[in-house]
Amino acid sequence: MSDKRTRAPRNTLNPELIVTTALRLMAADGVEAFSLRALAKELGVGPMALYTYFRGKDELFDAVRDHLLGTRRLATAKGPWQQQIRSVATGLRELLLEYPCLLRILASRPLKGPETAAVTETLVRALREAGFSKENAARAYTMLFTFVLGAALWESQMNAEKQDPEGRRRLRATMASLSEVDYPTVVDLAGELAATSGGDAQFEFGLRALVAGLEPLLD
Amino acid sequence: MSDKRTRAPRNTLNPELIVTTALRLMAADGVEAFSLRALAKELGVGPMALYTYFRGKDELFDAVRDHLLGTRRLATAKGPWQQQIRSVATGLRELLLEYPCLLRILASRPLKGPETAAVTETLVRALREAGFSKENAARAYTMLFTFVLGAALWESQMNAEKQDPEGRRRLRATMASLSEVDYPTVVDLAGELAATSGGDAQFEFGLRALVAGLEPLLD
DNA sequence: CGGCGTACAGTACACCGTACAGTAGCGGCA
DNA sequence: TGCCGCTACTGTACGGTGTACTGTACGCCG
């Protein structure tokens, strides 16, 4: 970023710059390849400079997560409550798929605070307005959220595996090597399982079924 | 494990011993605290000895995952297909909650092979026997699996956060600090959200709704 | 009993997060 | 305008990690 010889001036750093740069690096090379040292080099400072703004790597991860979760407000579509809910869930999935690092952070670090409040508010409000009781709204929210999380996580990993040709080959080899006597149904459905292992249609299918299963709770 | 002075005899190691010991360490101290060096020390061996059996840490993780997924066959309850499916899903959740490290491995490393074939077979067979088409069975399976994964992941992290009193305090403080004008519904449902954020009842609720949403697909 | 393959040991390297102590640039006050 | 103190940044260092490469001695087989 800057020349190698100069000492970085006094106000080169601020939390937001650090977070956005960290996010850029994580999006480029993956969370696991991310390191404080690489981030510091990218910013043209020494590694320890970051500790002025964050207690450590974990806190920086939290900040990145909060940044992503706070930046986007998920829009609620107009229409019947089923559609409203589906639109929020779809928006959340898209956010998670756009930033796999966010997915990894959510999956590896417990929530500490109000980070998800925005998406929670959106979803829970739609559920309440649809007529769900307090308890059912809370339950339905948790269910929807965890479903989207799991689906996005799985999809993201399938995508990762399908990225490199070696992974594709391995997947195919695996399917072919399955014993037909041990796993007859899996072998029979190999094609369908591979075809539906991810993608918008699969998510839409699950989401519709889930929301449909919620309807009877409205009496 | 052995004295410090002696050289380890020739056949102290084998893949299974390594995997089970690794699993024990991971279950005791968490996946992130696990290191090859600690494992080697536990086995009374130098770190590089492990490389005779595994290409590296990643491959060892895969082996642990396969060990856990292969050991237990999830039982299918007798009864209507809804109940069969729910029983398998519940069994999978219990396995994931019993071994949080398995959860972490599943969430961080893409599947490479037939590891999930056993649970896939169980679920997909039940769905097919219930009368679902090939495509719908595959879709329903993927949906169920990702739901259980997401729910268990979320629950496991909530549990972790609730473990230490500091985490509990932080959760409560967070709820209290939420602005009532920004997040009125969340504040209104704070109690319900906290109460339903995990546990068997929450999972059961989600699972029932999900399976109920599947029923219309049978025509 | 001897030699050979290989399961283990040892050393080394690059990299990680971060504790601790020093230094220099900037804002604010005289 | 000039100086002073605060603090944002630097440097060094430590203990840890995964793992590549090289050496060694053990136990099996002829």
Side-chain angles (χ1 to χ4, degrees), chain A residues 75-122:
Chain A
T76 312
K78 298 289 181 188
W81 65 269
Q82 291 94 333
Q83 192 174 331
Q84 292 181 23
I85 287 174
R86 285 201 301 264
S87 69
V88 179
T90 303
L92 180 58
R93 167 176 174 264
E94 282 167 2
L95 177 64
L96 293 176
L97 288 183
E98 184 175 351
Y99 296 100
C101 52
L102 174 57
L103 215 36
R104 293 301 188 82
I105 295 174
L106 283 177
S108 67
R109 296 187 48 68
L111 281 188
K112 294 208 162 92
E115 307 85 5
T116 60
V119 38
T120 307
E121 173 69 22
T122 315

mmCIF file of all heavy atoms in Angstrom, chain A residues 75-122:
data_model
loop_
_atom_site.group_PDB
_atom_site.id
_atom_site.type_symbol
_atom_site.label_atom_id
_atom_site.label_comp_id
_atom_site.label_asym_id
_atom_site.label_seq_id
_atom_site.Cartn_x
_atom_site.Cartn_y
_atom_site.Cartn_z
ATOM 1 N N ALA A 75 -34.927 -6.506 2.650
ATOM 2 C CA ALA A 75 -36.211 -5.927 2.283
ATOM 3 C C ALA A 75 -37.316 -6.958 2.400
ATOM 4 O O ALA A 75 -37.103 -8.143 2.153
ATOM 5 C CB ALA A 75 -36.150 -5.395 0.853
ATOM 6 N N THR A 76 -38.474 -6.504 2.813
ATOM 7 C CA THR A 76 -39.641 -7.375 2.869
ATOM 8 C C THR A 76 -40.522 -7.069 1.667
ATOM 9 O O THR A 76 -40.897 -5.917 1.446
ATOM 10 C CB THR A 76 -40.444 -7.116 4.147
ATOM 11 O OG1 THR A 76 -39.554 -7.090 5.257
ATOM 12 C CG2 THR A 76 -41.471 -8.209 4.364
ATOM 13 N N ALA A 77 -40.835 -8.097 0.912
ATOM 14 C CA ALA A 77 -41.683 -7.899 -0.248
ATOM 15 C C ALA A 77 -43.115 -7.632 0.206
ATOM 16 O O ALA A 77 -43.539 -8.079 1.269
ATOM 17 C CB ALA A 77 -41.638 -9.130 -1.150
ATOM 18 N N LYS A 78 -43.837 -6.889 -0.614
ATOM 19 C CA LYS A 78 -45.264 -6.699 -0.349
ATOM 20 C C LYS A 78 -45.996 -7.983 -0.699
ATOM 21 O O LYS A 78 -45.534 -8.767 -1.524
ATOM 22 C CB LYS A 78 -45.821 -5.552 -1.207
ATOM 23 C CG LYS A 78 -45.175 -4.196 -0.911
ATOM 24 C CD LYS A 78 -45.608 -3.660 0.430
ATOM 25 C CE LYS A 78 -44.976 -2.289 0.691
ATOM 26 N NZ LYS A 78 -45.232 -1.833 2.071
ATOM 27 N N GLY A 79 -47.156 -8.169 -0.101
ATOM 28 C CA GLY A 79 -47.948 -9.329 -0.450
ATOM 29 C C GLY A 79 -48.342 -10.119 0.771
ATOM 30 O O GLY A 79 -48.209 -9.644 1.894
ATOM 31 N N PRO A 80 -48.850 -11.312 0.571
ATOM 32 C CA PRO A 80 -49.248 -12.163 1.691
ATOM 33 C C PRO A 80 -48.042 -12.496 2.555
ATOM 34 O O PRO A 80 -46.900 -12.436 2.093
ATOM 35 C CB PRO A 80 -49.823 -13.418 1.002
ATOM 36 C CG PRO A 80 -49.250 -13.401 -0.373
ATOM 37 C CD PRO A 80 -49.074 -11.962 -0.734
ATOM 38 N N TRP A 81 -48.296 -12.866 3.791
ATOM 39 C CA TRP A 81 -47.199 -13.054 4.731
ATOM 40 C C TRP A 81 -46.246 -14.146 4.275
ATOM 41 O O TRP A 81 -45.040 -14.047 4.506
ATOM 42 C CB TRP A 81 -47.737 -13.354 6.129
ATOM 43 C CG TRP A 81 -48.497 -14.643 6.262
ATOM 44 C CD1 TRP A 81 -49.830 -14.832 6.103
ATOM 45 C CD2 TRP A 81 -47.954 -15.919 6.585
ATOM 46 N NE1 TRP A 81 -50.149 -16.141 6.292
ATOM 47 C CE2 TRP A 81 -49.034 -16.844 6.602
ATOM 48 C CE3 TRP A 81 -46.664 -16.387 6.862
ATOM 49 C CZ2 TRP A 81 -48.845 -18.190 6.877
ATOM 50 C CZ3 TRP A 81 -46.486 -17.729 7.146
ATOM 51 C CH2 TRP A 81 -47.562 -18.620 7.152
ATOM 52 N N GLN A 82 -46.766 -15.170 3.623
ATOM 53 C CA GLN A 82 -45.870 -16.226 3.150
ATOM 54 C C GLN A 82 -44.799 -15.652 2.234
ATOM 55 O O GLN A 82 -43.614 -15.987 2.351
ATOM 56 C CB GLN A 82 -46.666 -17.298 2.375
ATOM 57 C CG GLN A 82 -47.587 -18.141 3.229
ATOM 58 C CD GLN A 82 -48.999 -17.584 3.248
ATOM 59 O OE1 GLN A 82 -49.187 -16.375 3.069
ATOM 60 N NE2 GLN A 82 -49.976 -18.432 3.463
ATOM 61 N N GLN A 83 -45.238 -14.779 1.366
ATOM 62 C CA GLN A 83 -44.284 -14.203 0.420
ATOM 63 C C GLN A 83 -43.308 -13.268 1.128
ATOM 64 O O GLN A 83 -42.126 -13.214 0.797
ATOM 65 C CB GLN A 83 -45.063 -13.466 -0.677
ATOM 66 C CG GLN A 83 -44.192 -13.069 -1.856
ATOM 67 C CD GLN A 83 -45.029 -12.473 -2.969
ATOM 68 O OE1 GLN A 83 -46.209 -12.813 -3.118
ATOM 69 N NE2 GLN A 83 -44.446 -11.583 -3.752
ATOM 70 N N GLN A 84 -43.828 -12.513 2.095
ATOM 71 C CA GLN A 84 -42.942 -11.633 2.860
ATOM 72 C C GLN A 84 -41.817 -12.431 3.511
ATOM 73 O O GLN A 84 -40.639 -12.099 3.402
ATOM 74 C CB GLN A 84 -43.732 -10.902 3.949
ATOM 75 C CG GLN A 84 -44.723 -9.888 3.408
ATOM 76 C CD GLN A 84 -45.456 -9.164 4.528
ATOM 77 O OE1 GLN A 84 -44.954 -9.091 5.654
ATOM 78 N NE2 GLN A 84 -46.621 -8.634 4.232
ATOM 79 N N ILE A 85 -42.226 -13.487 4.161
ATOM 80 C CA ILE A 85 -41.242 -14.294 4.867
ATOM 81 C C ILE A 85 -40.240 -14.903 3.904
ATOM 82 O O ILE A 85 -39.026 -14.900 4.141
ATOM 83 C CB ILE A 85 -41.959 -15.388 5.672
ATOM 84 C CG1 ILE A 85 -42.644 -14.735 6.865
ATOM 85 C CG2 ILE A 85 -40.994 -16.455 6.130
ATOM 86 C CD1 ILE A 85 -43.495 -15.681 7.642
ATOM 87 N N ARG A 86 -40.744 -15.419 2.804
ATOM 88 C CA ARG A 86 -39.837 -16.029 1.837
ATOM 89 C C ARG A 86 -38.850 -15.015 1.287
ATOM 90 O O ARG A 86 -37.682 -15.328 1.059
ATOM 91 C CB ARG A 86 -40.644 -16.667 0.699
ATOM 92 C CG ARG A 86 -41.320 -17.985 1.118
ATOM 93 C CD ARG A 86 -41.649 -18.834 -0.098
ATOM 94 N NE ARG A 86 -42.534 -18.124 -1.011
ATOM 95 C CZ ARG A 86 -43.859 -18.262 -1.023
ATOM 96 N NH1 ARG A 86 -44.432 -19.098 -0.198
ATOM 97 N NH2 ARG A 86 -44.582 -17.580 -1.875
ATOM 98 N N SER A 87 -39.318 -13.793 1.085
ATOM 99 C CA SER A 87 -38.396 -12.800 0.521
ATOM 100 C C SER A 87 -37.270 -12.480 1.499
ATOM 101 O O SER A 87 -36.113 -12.332 1.105
ATOM 102 C CB SER A 87 -39.161 -11.533 0.142
ATOM 103 O OG SER A 87 -39.608 -10.858 1.305
ATOM 104 N N VAL A 88 -37.590 -12.393 2.773
ATOM 105 C CA VAL A 88 -36.533 -12.113 3.751
ATOM 106 C C VAL A 88 -35.542 -13.272 3.824
ATOM 107 O O VAL A 88 -34.325 -13.078 3.815
ATOM 108 C CB VAL A 88 -37.138 -11.844 5.142
ATOM 109 C CG1 VAL A 88 -36.035 -11.582 6.150
ATOM 110 C CG2 VAL A 88 -38.094 -10.669 5.094
ATOM 111 N N ALA A 89 -36.085 -14.480 3.847
ATOM 112 C CA ALA A 89 -35.210 -15.651 3.906
ATOM 113 C C ALA A 89 -34.315 -15.714 2.674
ATOM 114 O O ALA A 89 -33.116 -16.010 2.770
ATOM 115 C CB ALA A 89 -36.056 -16.922 4.015
ATOM 116 N N THR A 90 -34.887 -15.428 1.531
ATOM 117 C CA THR A 90 -34.097 -15.449 0.303
ATOM 118 C C THR A 90 -32.993 -14.390 0.350
ATOM 119 O O THR A 90 -31.856 -14.642 -0.059
ATOM 120 C CB THR A 90 -35.009 -15.205 -0.910
ATOM 121 O OG1 THR A 90 -36.042 -16.195 -0.926
ATOM 122 C CG2 THR A 90 -34.226 -15.282 -2.201
ATOM 123 N N GLY A 91 -33.350 -13.218 0.858
ATOM 124 C CA GLY A 91 -32.343 -12.165 0.968
ATOM 125 C C GLY A 91 -31.213 -12.570 1.890
ATOM 126 O O GLY A 91 -30.036 -12.321 1.590
ATOM 127 N N LEU A 92 -31.563 -13.206 2.992
ATOM 128 C CA LEU A 92 -30.534 -13.657 3.920
ATOM 129 C C LEU A 92 -29.627 -14.692 3.272
ATOM 130 O O LEU A 92 -28.405 -14.637 3.387
ATOM 131 C CB LEU A 92 -31.197 -14.249 5.170
ATOM 132 C CG LEU A 92 -30.258 -14.761 6.251
ATOM 133 C CD1 LEU A 92 -29.327 -13.667 6.729
ATOM 134 C CD2 LEU A 92 -31.038 -15.348 7.417
ATOM 135 N N ARG A 93 -30.221 -15.612 2.558
ATOM 136 C CA ARG A 93 -29.418 -16.622 1.866
ATOM 137 C C ARG A 93 -28.464 -15.970 0.873
ATOM 138 O O ARG A 93 -27.297 -16.347 0.785
ATOM 139 C CB ARG A 93 -30.340 -17.598 1.139
ATOM 140 C CG ARG A 93 -29.612 -18.487 0.148
ATOM 141 C CD ARG A 93 -30.543 -19.500 -0.473
ATOM 142 N NE ARG A 93 -29.907 -20.267 -1.533
ATOM 143 C CZ ARG A 93 -30.005 -19.973 -2.823
ATOM 144 N NH1 ARG A 93 -30.701 -18.921 -3.205
ATOM 145 N NH2 ARG A 93 -29.412 -20.715 -3.725
ATOM 146 N N GLU A 94 -28.969 -15.014 0.129
ATOM 147 C CA GLU A 94 -28.106 -14.365 -0.859
ATOM 148 C C GLU A 94 -26.930 -13.666 -0.194
ATOM 149 O O GLU A 94 -25.802 -13.712 -0.684
ATOM 150 C CB GLU A 94 -28.921 -13.369 -1.686
ATOM 151 C CG GLU A 94 -29.750 -14.065 -2.755
ATOM 152 C CD GLU A 94 -30.792 -13.140 -3.367
ATOM 153 O OE1 GLU A 94 -30.836 -11.948 -2.977
ATOM 154 O OE2 GLU A 94 -31.571 -13.611 -4.215
ATOM 155 N N LEU A 95 -27.219 -13.023 0.925
ATOM 156 C CA LEU A 95 -26.126 -12.370 1.651
ATOM 157 C C LEU A 95 -25.085 -13.391 2.087
ATOM 158 O O LEU A 95 -23.865 -13.191 1.923
ATOM 159 C CB LEU A 95 -26.689 -11.643 2.874
ATOM 160 C CG LEU A 95 -25.672 -10.970 3.791
ATOM 161 C CD1 LEU A 95 -24.943 -9.862 3.058
ATOM 162 C CD2 LEU A 95 -26.333 -10.432 5.045
ATOM 163 N N LEU A 96 -25.544 -14.504 2.610
ATOM 164 C CA LEU A 96 -24.627 -15.529 3.105
ATOM 165 C C LEU A 96 -23.816 -16.150 1.971
ATOM 166 O O LEU A 96 -22.641 -16.471 2.137
ATOM 167 C CB LEU A 96 -25.399 -16.619 3.848
ATOM 168 C CG LEU A 96 -26.061 -16.184 5.155
ATOM 169 C CD1 LEU A 96 -26.867 -17.321 5.747
ATOM 170 C CD2 LEU A 96 -25.023 -15.692 6.145
ATOM 171 N N LEU A 97 -24.462 -16.320 0.830
ATOM 172 C CA LEU A 97 -23.738 -16.916 -0.288
ATOM 173 C C LEU A 97 -22.778 -15.921 -0.916
ATOM 174 O O LEU A 97 -21.737 -16.304 -1.454
ATOM 175 C CB LEU A 97 -24.720 -17.434 -1.338
ATOM 176 C CG LEU A 97 -25.491 -18.693 -0.943
ATOM 177 C CD1 LEU A 97 -26.388 -19.152 -2.082
ATOM 178 C CD2 LEU A 97 -24.536 -19.806 -0.535
ATOM 179 N N GLU A 98 -23.133 -14.665 -0.827
ATOM 180 C CA GLU A 98 -22.242 -13.650 -1.397
ATOM 181 C C GLU A 98 -20.973 -13.522 -0.565
ATOM 182 O O GLU A 98 -19.911 -13.211 -1.083
ATOM 183 C CB GLU A 98 -22.976 -12.300 -1.474
ATOM 184 C CG GLU A 98 -22.152 -11.212 -2.146
ATOM 185 C CD GLU A 98 -22.963 -9.929 -2.302
ATOM 186 O OE1 GLU A 98 -24.176 -9.954 -2.041
ATOM 187 O OE2 GLU A 98 -22.350 -8.906 -2.673
ATOM 188 N N TYR A 99 -21.107 -13.730 0.732
ATOM 189 C CA TYR A 99 -19.949 -13.637 1.618
ATOM 190 C C TYR A 99 -19.764 -14.944 2.378
ATOM 191 O O TYR A 99 -20.222 -15.058 3.519
ATOM 192 C CB TYR A 99 -20.110 -12.479 2.592
ATOM 193 C CG TYR A 99 -20.147 -11.140 1.936
ATOM 194 C CD1 TYR A 99 -21.347 -10.483 1.708
ATOM 195 C CD2 TYR A 99 -18.967 -10.535 1.523
ATOM 196 C CE1 TYR A 99 -21.381 -9.249 1.092
ATOM 197 C CE2 TYR A 99 -18.990 -9.299 0.905
ATOM 198 C CZ TYR A 99 -20.195 -8.659 0.694
ATOM 199 O OH TYR A 99 -20.210 -7.432 0.075
ATOM 200 N N PRO A 100 -19.101 -15.884 1.769
ATOM 201 C CA PRO A 100 -18.891 -17.162 2.455
ATOM 202 C C PRO A 100 -18.161 -16.972 3.784
ATOM 203 O O PRO A 100 -18.351 -17.751 4.716
ATOM 204 C CB PRO A 100 -18.029 -17.955 1.472
ATOM 205 C CG PRO A 100 -18.278 -17.319 0.150
ATOM 206 C CD PRO A 100 -18.528 -15.872 0.423
ATOM 207 N N CYS A 101 -17.343 -15.925 3.849
ATOM 208 C CA CYS A 101 -16.627 -15.696 5.098
ATOM 209 C C CYS A 101 -17.605 -15.387 6.220
ATOM 210 O O CYS A 101 -17.383 -15.785 7.373
ATOM 211 C CB CYS A 101 -15.616 -14.571 4.934
ATOM 212 S SG CYS A 101 -16.276 -13.051 4.260
ATOM 213 N N LEU A 102 -18.697 -14.708 5.897
ATOM 214 C CA LEU A 102 -19.715 -14.435 6.914
ATOM 215 C C LEU A 102 -20.298 -15.737 7.438
ATOM 216 O O LEU A 102 -20.492 -15.927 8.642
ATOM 217 C CB LEU A 102 -20.814 -13.555 6.322
ATOM 218 C CG LEU A 102 -22.035 -13.291 7.206
ATOM 219 C CD1 LEU A 102 -21.649 -12.659 8.521
ATOM 220 C CD2 LEU A 102 -23.065 -12.436 6.480
ATOM 221 N N LEU A 103 -20.540 -16.628 6.514
ATOM 222 C CA LEU A 103 -21.049 -17.954 6.864
ATOM 223 C C LEU A 103 -20.089 -18.650 7.829
ATOM 224 O O LEU A 103 -20.499 -19.206 8.851
ATOM 225 C CB LEU A 103 -21.181 -18.753 5.567
ATOM 226 C CG LEU A 103 -22.275 -19.762 5.329
ATOM 227 C CD1 LEU A 103 -23.576 -19.340 5.955
ATOM 228 C CD2 LEU A 103 -22.435 -19.959 3.836
ATOM 229 N N ARG A 104 -18.838 -18.610 7.506
ATOM 230 C CA ARG A 104 -17.844 -19.262 8.350
ATOM 231 C C ARG A 104 -17.761 -18.628 9.719
ATOM 232 O O ARG A 104 -17.597 -19.305 10.727
ATOM 233 C CB ARG A 104 -16.460 -19.206 7.686
ATOM 234 C CG ARG A 104 -16.349 -20.023 6.434
ATOM 235 C CD ARG A 104 -16.654 -21.482 6.716
ATOM 236 N NE ARG A 104 -16.372 -22.319 5.579
ATOM 237 C CZ ARG A 104 -15.164 -22.767 5.268
ATOM 238 N NH1 ARG A 104 -14.141 -22.456 6.044
ATOM 239 N NH2 ARG A 104 -14.977 -23.523 4.213
ATOM 240 N N ILE A 105 -17.868 -17.322 9.755
ATOM 241 C CA ILE A 105 -17.803 -16.638 11.044
ATOM 242 C C ILE A 105 -19.018 -16.998 11.879
ATOM 243 O O ILE A 105 -18.902 -17.316 13.062
ATOM 244 C CB ILE A 105 -17.711 -15.114 10.835
ATOM 245 C CG1 ILE A 105 -16.399 -14.746 10.146
ATOM 246 C CG2 ILE A 105 -17.822 -14.392 12.171
ATOM 247 C CD1 ILE A 105 -16.278 -13.287 9.765
ATOM 248 N N LEU A 106 -20.184 -16.965 11.258
ATOM 249 C CA LEU A 106 -21.398 -17.328 11.995
ATOM 250 C C LEU A 106 -21.321 -18.759 12.507
ATOM 251 O O LEU A 106 -21.816 -19.075 13.589
ATOM 252 C CB LEU A 106 -22.619 -17.177 11.092
ATOM 253 C CG LEU A 106 -23.114 -15.753 10.856
ATOM 254 C CD1 LEU A 106 -24.270 -15.755 9.879
ATOM 255 C CD2 LEU A 106 -23.536 -15.103 12.162
ATOM 256 N N ALA A 107 -20.691 -19.612 11.712
ATOM 257 C CA ALA A 107 -20.640 -21.019 12.092
ATOM 258 C C ALA A 107 -19.568 -21.315 13.121
ATOM 259 O O ALA A 107 -19.591 -22.354 13.748
ATOM 260 C CB ALA A 107 -20.407 -21.887 10.852
ATOM 261 N N SER A 108 -18.648 -20.415 13.289
ATOM 262 C CA SER A 108 -17.531 -20.737 14.171
ATOM 263 C C SER A 108 -17.485 -19.898 15.441
ATOM 264 O O SER A 108 -16.840 -20.279 16.395
ATOM 265 C CB SER A 108 -16.201 -20.570 13.421
ATOM 266 O OG SER A 108 -15.978 -19.209 13.122
ATOM 267 N N ARG A 109 -18.168 -18.785 15.459
ATOM 268 C CA ARG A 109 -18.128 -17.933 16.636
ATOM 269 C C ARG A 109 -19.526 -17.665 17.146
ATOM 270 O O ARG A 109 -20.400 -17.302 16.378
ATOM 271 C CB ARG A 109 -17.451 -16.593 16.317
ATOM 272 C CG ARG A 109 -15.989 -16.733 15.941
ATOM 273 C CD ARG A 109 -15.317 -15.391 15.800
ATOM 274 N NE ARG A 109 -15.589 -14.521 16.907
ATOM 275 C CZ ARG A 109 -15.146 -14.714 18.140
ATOM 276 N NH1 ARG A 109 -14.398 -15.741 18.406
ATOM 277 N NH2 ARG A 109 -15.447 -13.864 19.088
ATOM 278 N N PRO A 110 -19.743 -17.842 18.418
ATOM 279 C CA PRO A 110 -21.081 -17.604 18.951
ATOM 280 C C PRO A 110 -21.452 -16.132 18.854
ATOM 281 O O PRO A 110 -20.582 -15.265 18.855
ATOM 282 C CB PRO A 110 -20.957 -18.040 20.404
ATOM 283 C CG PRO A 110 -19.521 -17.933 20.735
ATOM 284 C CD PRO A 110 -18.798 -18.234 19.464
ATOM 285 N N LEU A 111 -22.737 -15.882 18.757
ATOM 286 C CA LEU A 111 -23.204 -14.507 18.740
ATOM 287 C C LEU A 111 -23.030 -13.892 20.119
ATOM 288 O O LEU A 111 -23.272 -14.527 21.123
ATOM 289 C CB LEU A 111 -24.676 -14.471 18.357
ATOM 290 C CG LEU A 111 -24.967 -14.613 16.884
ATOM 291 C CD1 LEU A 111 -26.442 -14.368 16.643
ATOM 292 C CD2 LEU A 111 -24.142 -13.632 16.089
ATOM 293 N N LYS A 112 -22.639 -12.674 20.130
ATOM 294 C CA LYS A 112 -22.425 -12.001 21.397
ATOM 295 C C LYS A 112 -23.429 -10.888 21.618
ATOM 296 O O LYS A 112 -23.571 -10.393 22.715
ATOM 297 C CB LYS A 112 -21.049 -11.369 21.428
ATOM 298 C CG LYS A 112 -19.911 -12.325 21.403
ATOM 299 C CD LYS A 112 -18.756 -11.643 22.116
ATOM 300 C CE LYS A 112 -17.704 -12.620 22.532
ATOM 301 N NZ LYS A 112 -16.685 -12.764 21.520
ATOM 302 N N GLY A 113 -24.058 -10.443 20.562
ATOM 303 C CA GLY A 113 -24.830 -9.238 20.759
ATOM 304 C C GLY A 113 -25.957 -9.065 19.782
ATOM 305 O O GLY A 113 -26.535 -10.034 19.303
ATOM 306 N N PRO A 114 -26.287 -7.853 19.503
ATOM 307 C CA PRO A 114 -27.490 -7.531 18.744
ATOM 308 C C PRO A 114 -27.263 -7.565 17.247
ATOM 309 O O PRO A 114 -27.987 -6.934 16.503
ATOM 310 C CB PRO A 114 -27.786 -6.101 19.206
ATOM 311 C CG PRO A 114 -26.438 -5.522 19.477
ATOM 312 C CD PRO A 114 -25.549 -6.658 19.909
ATOM 313 N N GLU A 115 -26.276 -8.324 16.813
ATOM 314 C CA GLU A 115 -25.905 -8.249 15.399
ATOM 315 C C GLU A 115 -27.036 -8.661 14.488
ATOM 316 O O GLU A 115 -27.246 -8.090 13.419
ATOM 317 C CB GLU A 115 -24.694 -9.130 15.128
ATOM 318 C CG GLU A 115 -23.517 -8.852 16.039
ATOM 319 C CD GLU A 115 -23.633 -9.616 17.340
ATOM 320 O OE1 GLU A 115 -24.575 -10.419 17.462
ATOM 321 O OE2 GLU A 115 -22.802 -9.396 18.224
ATOM 322 N N THR A 116 -27.754 -9.687 14.884
ATOM 323 C CA THR A 116 -28.789 -10.177 14.000
ATOM 324 C C THR A 116 -30.117 -9.472 14.247
ATOM 325 O O THR A 116 -31.138 -9.855 13.679
ATOM 326 C CB THR A 116 -29.005 -11.685 14.192
ATOM 327 O OG1 THR A 116 -29.390 -11.913 15.542
ATOM 328 C CG2 THR A 116 -27.750 -12.459 13.863
ATOM 329 N N ALA A 117 -30.108 -8.459 15.068
ATOM 330 C CA ALA A 117 -31.362 -7.818 15.454
ATOM 331 C C ALA A 117 -32.134 -7.315 14.235
ATOM 332 O O ALA A 117 -33.359 -7.427 14.184
ATOM 333 C CB ALA A 117 -31.091 -6.678 16.428
ATOM 334 N N ALA A 118 -31.417 -6.796 13.258
ATOM 335 C CA ALA A 118 -32.096 -6.232 12.093
ATOM 336 C C ALA A 118 -32.885 -7.307 11.359
ATOM 337 O O ALA A 118 -34.082 -7.133 11.086
ATOM 338 C CB ALA A 118 -31.069 -5.582 11.155
ATOM 339 N N VAL A 119 -32.220 -8.401 11.048
ATOM 340 C CA VAL A 119 -32.929 -9.456 10.320
ATOM 341 C C VAL A 119 -33.982 -10.098 11.219
ATOM 342 O O VAL A 119 -35.087 -10.428 10.756
ATOM 343 C CB VAL A 119 -31.947 -10.503 9.750
ATOM 344 C CG1 VAL A 119 -30.827 -10.778 10.706
ATOM 345 C CG2 VAL A 119 -32.654 -11.773 9.372
ATOM 346 N N THR A 120 -33.666 -10.234 12.501
ATOM 347 C CA THR A 120 -34.661 -10.774 13.427
ATOM 348 C C THR A 120 -35.915 -9.913 13.431
ATOM 349 O O THR A 120 -37.040 -10.417 13.314
ATOM 350 C CB THR A 120 -34.083 -10.848 14.849
ATOM 351 O OG1 THR A 120 -32.853 -11.564 14.831
ATOM 352 C CG2 THR A 120 -35.049 -11.539 15.787
ATOM 353 N N GLU A 121 -35.726 -8.622 13.559
ATOM 354 C CA GLU A 121 -36.863 -7.708 13.587
ATOM 355 C C GLU A 121 -37.720 -7.856 12.334
ATOM 356 O O GLU A 121 -38.937 -7.979 12.411
ATOM 357 C CB GLU A 121 -36.351 -6.266 13.710
ATOM 358 C CG GLU A 121 -37.418 -5.195 13.593
ATOM 359 C CD GLU A 121 -38.373 -5.181 14.789
ATOM 360 O OE1 GLU A 121 -37.986 -5.680 15.860
ATOM 361 O OE2 GLU A 121 -39.503 -4.677 14.634
ATOM 362 N N THR A 122 -37.067 -7.862 11.193
ATOM 363 C CA THR A 122 -37.808 -7.968 9.939
ATOM 364 C C THR A 122 -38.669 -9.222 9.894
ATOM 365 O O THR A 122 -39.868 -9.178 9.589
ATOM 366 C CB THR A 122 -36.831 -7.994 8.755
ATOM 367 O OG1 THR A 122 -35.837 -6.984 8.945
ATOM 368 C CG2 THR A 122 -37.546 -7.767 7.453
#
